[in-house]
Amino acid sequence: MPDQPNVLLISTDQQFADAIGCVTDELETPAMDELAARGTRFTEAYCSNPLCSPSRACMFSGAPSHQNGVTDNNHEIADEYRDRTLGHLLSDAGYDCGYAGEWHVPNHEIGPEHGFERVCGYSDERVPDAAAEFIERDRDDPFFLVASFDNPHNICEWGRNQPLPWGGVEEVPVEECPTLPENFPIPPYEPDPIDEWRTGPGIDMTGASPDEWRRYRHAYFRLIERVDAAIGRVLDALDAAGLTGDTVVVFTSDHGDMGGAHRLQQKHLLYDEAVRVPLVVAGPGVEHGVDDRLVSTGLDLLPTLCDYADAEVPADLRGRSLRPIASGEGADEWRDYVVTQSTHELTARMVRTPRYKYTVYEQGRPREQLFDVEADRGEMVNLAVDADHEDVLQDHRELLLEWCLETGDEFMSHYATGIDDLPTVPGFEYGEVRERADEY
């Protein structure tokens, strides 16, 4: 592999991890499947924030939302991070950096202040040809190209019965639509804010029949197949240029979509369908297979791409490069948990450990969820209300408090914790939090 291979980052918008042909037979995604077959697919990759702009800001800055300043779709990346995002870091390392498609941090069109040449603007129709033209250029330096697609985000317009920006979806008889997910029912002991979301600012499908939910999933899967075809054209251009063997390709999505799980749609939530995303690393020197280590795409993408590009990683970032894992060399002791933040409309935090997943919402009865992911992948049994799991619950509260204090996350800050806006986490008294904060 060259010392500085070309780097191609392909991203979709609103695609959950299992919505890919090599995982389910309910859709066909030959391009994504090809990447997975010749690379490492990370099965436990979580976005840092299940909303477009906050998630993308994390991926391009390597910092969580409360640090990079983007907590909703209307915020710019904070000044102290803007000059050290991926485009600048790889440009400084000698790369020719181009960006094709959706930016959305917060505007859909990227500007030169982010270190990229705008290859083309926000258009799934234009991205494949524009990306191909960029790939085919004569150049002496390696390139870093982002091919960023809007779909399957058009499921939002479909759900609102609005025109779809990049073409409609053909209706079919309901018997030809995908089946309902096994976790379609609403689980018991679900936090109040989740139920309120069902009738909130998203698409209100509270009265939708099972057949309507199947049609929703049909439209969603067809949109994924559409964007897969566009991705295939980009990969074909790379192959036609004779550069596949010299290019590291990373494929991911900014967040997922509930897709009918628990009778929910859209994102914002902390169920796996909204926060677990596809992630594949393919290219020269990459092992073929799957890996189940916990990945934070918002924190780990930047150091991974910088590792391949021999670019300097800012020393204060918490993410880790996936290159040693993808290369089969292994990695030093890997992390024990990842955290996802929900910071807009629904204020909540998620802690995912190898076996369990803990979520806590800012308010409601109940506020907490604890799932045994090994036994309950569909997140149907809330162990936070089970006395037998009290120790496990407290262990995960401890991890969240540790995260908050280490990173300055003021989750659920309360005046009683003092003037420092310290976090409040269930299971800890205010005085204890103040004392613990002195350790940091």
Side-chain angles (χ1 to χ4, degrees):
M1 182 173 68
D3 292 337
Q4 286 187 302
N6 301 311
V7 177
L8 171 61
L9 172 60
I10 300 174
S11 66
T12 60
D13 191 324
Q14 204 157 317
Q15 181 176 356
F16 65 79
D18 292 343
I20 182 171
C22 63
V23 177
T24 176
D25 59 5
E26 294 195 305
L27 74 167
E28 296 181 1
T29 57
M32 299 175 194
D33 294 354
E34 174 196 337
L35 286 174
R38 63 181 183 87
T40 300
R41 182 169 64 89
F42 293 88
T43 61
E44 306 301 324
Y46 286 84
C47 69
S48 291
N49 198 316
L51 184 62
C52 298
S53 293
S55 178
R56 293 162 185 267
C58 293
M59 290 193 290
F60 281 86
S61 70
S65 297
H66 68 281
Q67 292 180 354
N68 67 46
V70 182
T71 56
D72 67 29
N73 279 343
N74 298 310
H75 291 174
E76 296 270 5
I77 296 175
D79 290 343
E80 59 264 37
Y81 289 95
R82 200 174 305 166
D83 291 337
R84 40 178 269 189
T85 50
L86 270 170
H88 291 292
L89 295 174
L90 269 69
S91 290
D92 291 345
Y95 276 73
D96 182 11
C97 297
Y99 200 104
E102 180 183 26
W103 170 241
H104 207 345
V105 193
N107 302 313
H108 282 91
E109 304 283 347
I110 194 170
E113 68 272 19
H114 297 290
F116 290 97
E117 171 196 346
R118 184 194 296 179
V119 177
C120 78
Y122 172 53
S123 171
D124 278 17
E125 296 173 338
R126 294 169 53 203
V127 167
D129 289 342
E133 183 276 329
F134 182 84
I135 289 169
E136 294 164 358
R137 292 181 190 175
D138 290 330
R139 54 170 60 86
D140 296 324
D141 297 323
F143 70 76
F144 171 39
L145 173 63
V146 180
S148 176
F149 294 93
D150 181 37
N151 266 322
H153 188 279
N154 286 179
I155 192 62
C156 298
E157 287 80 16
W158 185 94
R160 300 184 189 110
N161 199 27
Q162 297 171 336
L164 277 60
W166 321 119
V169 174
E170 181 181 0
E171 290 191 14
V172 298
V174 69
E175 56 268 21
E176 297 179 20
C177 292
T179 57
L180 295 174
E182 291 184 3
N183 59 349
F184 178 66
I186 298 173
Y189 301 107
E190 188 180 64
D192 292 341
I194 299 177
D195 191 53
E196 294 168 3
W197 178 254
R198 289 188 174 89
T199 58
I203 302 167
D204 186 357
M205 292 183 64
T206 50
S209 68
D211 285 355
E212 289 175 286
W213 280 109
R214 290 183 66 184
R215 294 187 187 282
Y216 182 98
R217 289 173 65 81
H218 165 74
Y220 182 67
F221 286 166
R222 300 296 81 77
L223 292 170
I224 292 172
E225 290 175 344
R226 177 174 298 163
V227 75
D228 182 80
I231 290 171
R233 291 168 58 192
V234 177
L235 297 178
D236 287 346
L238 191 68
D239 197 48
L243 296 175
T244 298
D246 298 322
T247 304
V248 172
V249 182
V250 176
F251 164 67
T252 191
S253 192
D254 55 356
H255 54 75
D257 183 276
M258 288 303 300
H262 309 311
R263 290 181 176 264
L264 287 161
Q265 40 64 39
Q266 295 271 337
K267 49 266 189 177
H268 292 280
L269 302 163
L270 296 176
Y271 284 125
D272 258 21
E273 287 79 7
V275 294
R276 193 164 64 93
V277 294
L279 177 63
V280 175
V281 178
V286 175
E287 292 285 303
H288 303 171
V290 297
D291 191 277
D292 63 359
R293 271 168 275 210
L294 295 171
V295 176
S296 170
T297 53
L299 305 188
D300 296 337
L301 181 66
L302 183 148
T304 298
L305 298 186
C306 285
D307 193 353
Y308 279 108
D310 195 23
E312 184 176 355
V313 179
D316 59 340
L317 297 181
R318 294 174 60 90
R320 298 187 60 179
S321 172
L322 301 172
R323 182 178 180 178
I325 299 173
S327 68
E329 300 170 3
D332 295 335
E333 291 186 17
W334 197 248
R335 61 167 63 92
D336 296 322
Y337 69 98
V338 294
V339 173
T340 296
Q341 303 169 295
S342 181
T343 57
H344 179 64
E345 302 287 355
L346 292 171
T347 301
R349 298 293 185 269
M350 177 205 84
V351 177
R352 172 73 157 84
T353 57
R355 178 171 177 178
Y356 292 96
K357 179 177 170 184
Y358 168 71
T359 63
V360 55
Y361 289 80
E362 188 173 34
Q363 58 187 2
R365 295 182 184 275
R367 287 172 47 210
E368 297 175 285
Q369 293 174 302
L370 178 69
F371 300 108
D372 182 341
V373 178
E374 291 182 2
D376 179 27
R377 190 81 226 205
E379 300 173 294
M380 293 296 296
V381 181
N382 184 5
L383 300 175
V385 300
D386 179 3
D388 290 342
H389 287 81
E390 184 175 349
D391 290 345
V392 177
L393 179 65
Q394 190 62 26
D395 288 344
H396 286 71
R397 291 166 169 170
E398 173 72 31
L399 292 175
L400 178 58
L401 181 61
E402 175 184 280
W403 157 272
C404 289
L405 294 175
E406 284 185 354
T407 68
D409 184 354
E410 298 172 2
F411 175 59
M412 291 171 27
S413 61
H414 190 278
Y415 65 86
T417 59
I419 61 174
D420 294 326
D421 294 325
L422 298 175
T424 62
V425 175
F428 298 95
E429 298 293 337
Y430 293 141
E432 181 180 359
V433 174
R434 286 195 296 270
E435 292 178 3
R436 293 279 296 276
D438 293 338
E439 302 173 11
Y440 296 88

